[in-house]
Amino acid sequence: MRPILIADPDENFLAALLGDPKAAQNPPLVAKNGKEAQLKLSDKTQPIAGLFVNPRILSTDVLSVIRCCHMHRPATPIFLIHDGTSPFSEEQLKSLPIQELLKKPITYSELSAKVGPVNFVFNPNIASEEGHSSHEAIDKISFRSVYHT
């Protein structure tokens, strides 16, 4: 399984996650600030199954990290993890392109389980073949998944 990226300035939280037995089987990528997270997200050589980001991330705001993920990792599930009170209103949360808001404490096993059901990879070859071979009328389009697990 591909690793998850956890972006959080809380070193104690990161240490606890790395101590989880599941982390030994599938080590996560960690970023202590927004710049680190953006560098890891933009590195196409490193697979990432999902992004877990604390809104209190330093050096850049959480929206920049989310935007970077959508730009470099389309279809990667994004989760916000927070320490208590959410920094976003209910209305703001509804408009954010995230899967879920998660509250600490949470274990690495729980984080890994969150990406399991939505862990997929975009296959541009299948998408391109589908586009070139489609002779259907616009109002009669059928969809075949261009994602695979």
Side-chain angles (χ1 to χ4, degrees):
M1 181 162 169
R2 297 175 294 146
I4 60 174
L5 172 58
I6 303 162
D8 197 308
D10 183 350
E11 292 189 32
N12 293 330
F13 174 66
L14 293 175
L17 292 177
L18 293 172
D20 189 306
K22 181 111 176 160
Q25 298 170 338
N26 187 29
L29 301 171
V30 295
K32 295 177 186 169
N33 62 55
K35 270 196 174 154
E36 276 184 57
Q38 289 176 320
L39 285 172
K40 289 177 192 278
L41 288 165
S42 62
D43 178 5
K44 299 292 186 184
T45 63
Q46 176 62 59
I48 296 175
L51 170 64
F52 293 85
V53 61
N54 187 328
R56 306 226 187 279
I57 196 89
L58 305 173
S59 82
T60 186
D61 70 340
V62 70
L63 297 178
S64 295
V65 174
I66 292 171
R67 187 177 310 113
C68 179
C69 185
H70 281 291
M71 187 167 61
H72 294 284
R73 307 284 179 151
T76 298
I78 301 171
F79 301 85
L80 289 183
I81 47 178
H82 65 93
D83 305 321
T85 313
S86 171
F88 297 105
S89 71
E90 198 65 35
E91 235 3 82
Q92 290 172 317
L93 281 173
K94 287 179 184 176
S95 69
L96 287 176
I98 61 168
Q99 298 294 121
E100 191 177 346
L101 178 67
L102 306 169
K103 185 177 176 186
K104 292 180 185 177
I106 191 165
T107 66
Y108 182 74
S109 296
E110 292 170 313
L111 295 180
S112 293
K114 293 286 182 187
V115 295
V118 291
N119 190 8
F120 51 81
V121 178
F122 179 73
N123 186 330
N125 295 329
I126 291 174
S128 181
E129 289 170 21
E130 276 293 301
H132 291 299
S133 66
S134 177
H135 300 290
E136 297 174 335
I138 296 291
D139 61 344
K140 297 183 183 182
I141 293 176
S142 63
F143 293 96
R144 186 181 101 190
S145 178
V146 293
Y147 296 96
H148 61 85
T149 57

